[in-house]
Amino acid sequence: MRPSIVRLVRARRPERKTSPLLPPLVLYRHILRAHKKFLSPELRYLGDPYVRDEFRAHQKIDNPLHIVAFLTEWQDYLMKLDRGEWKEGSLTKEDLSKMSEEQVNQLYELMQATKKARQLDAEEEQEQQ
């Protein structure tokens, strides 16, 4: 018995290892739902407006490469939230090399602010004891 042409063609197609990209609005809603499900109110207070602002800022982008990269990164973030991997997340050297100088500076400022907030929290706890 001869295999049909359709079966031969399907056998040669490469398997897709990643899920297809979600449309922007669907992805945005999924992220907000994941924030509601997995994040504390304090983290949601920071995360929800950040997501909203990022999606608004990229709403009028015309370059397809930028759109795909943007959606891919946010979809990866959503998967990390779903798996619980966001808690132990860290940046690789590859991630840092992809960032602009402005982004690295913003990341450094965020790191300094979180260190300061941790110190203040630790001091408040010591005072209460």
Side-chain angles (χ1 to χ4, degrees):
M1 182 174 192
R2 279 183 41 199
S4 70
I5 293 175
V6 173
R7 291 181 78 188
L8 290 173
V9 171
R10 284 190 182 152
R12 286 189 237 148
R13 287 185 186 158
E15 293 282 328
R16 182 180 282 175
K17 295 186 182 354
T18 60
S19 59
L21 290 176
L22 295 171
L25 188 57
V26 173
L27 180 59
Y28 175 73
R29 289 178 180 158
H30 279 25
I31 290 170
L32 292 181
R33 285 187 194 119
H35 279 189
K36 191 173 187 177
K37 185 175 180 182
F38 298 114
L39 300 183
S40 66
E42 295 85 14
L43 291 176
R44 281 188 62 206
Y45 178 77
L46 292 172
D48 289 352
Y50 180 79
V51 172
R52 183 190 65 234
D53 293 344
E54 282 294 304
F55 272 78
R56 280 189 182 158
H58 289 83
Q59 207 169 20
K60 298 189 189 307
I61 300 267
D62 293 330
N63 187 336
L65 293 175
H66 289 169
I67 295 169
V68 169
F70 177 79
L71 295 175
T72 302
E73 288 300 319
W74 279 106
Q75 194 157 328
D76 289 346
Y77 169 73
L78 178 61
M79 286 183 211
K80 285 181 182 181
L81 275 177
D82 288 338
R83 292 186 207 131
E85 296 174 359
W86 63 275
K87 292 180 182 179
E88 64 262 354
S90 62
L91 290 174
T92 63
K93 289 183 180 180
E94 181 182 327
D95 292 335
L96 282 173
S97 68
K98 290 179 183 177
M99 291 182 173
S100 68
E101 186 176 330
E102 181 184 352
Q103 290 172 321
V104 173
N105 288 336
Q106 287 176 340
L107 189 62
Y108 180 75
E109 290 172 7
L110 178 63
M111 182 184 72
Q112 295 298 325
T114 55
K115 282 183 181 180
K116 187 176 181 179
R118 284 184 184 169
Q119 287 175 348
L120 291 174
D121 288 344
E123 290 172 3
E124 286 178 8
E125 284 182 18
Q126 286 178 355
E127 290 175 5
Q128 290 176 356
Q129 291 175 357

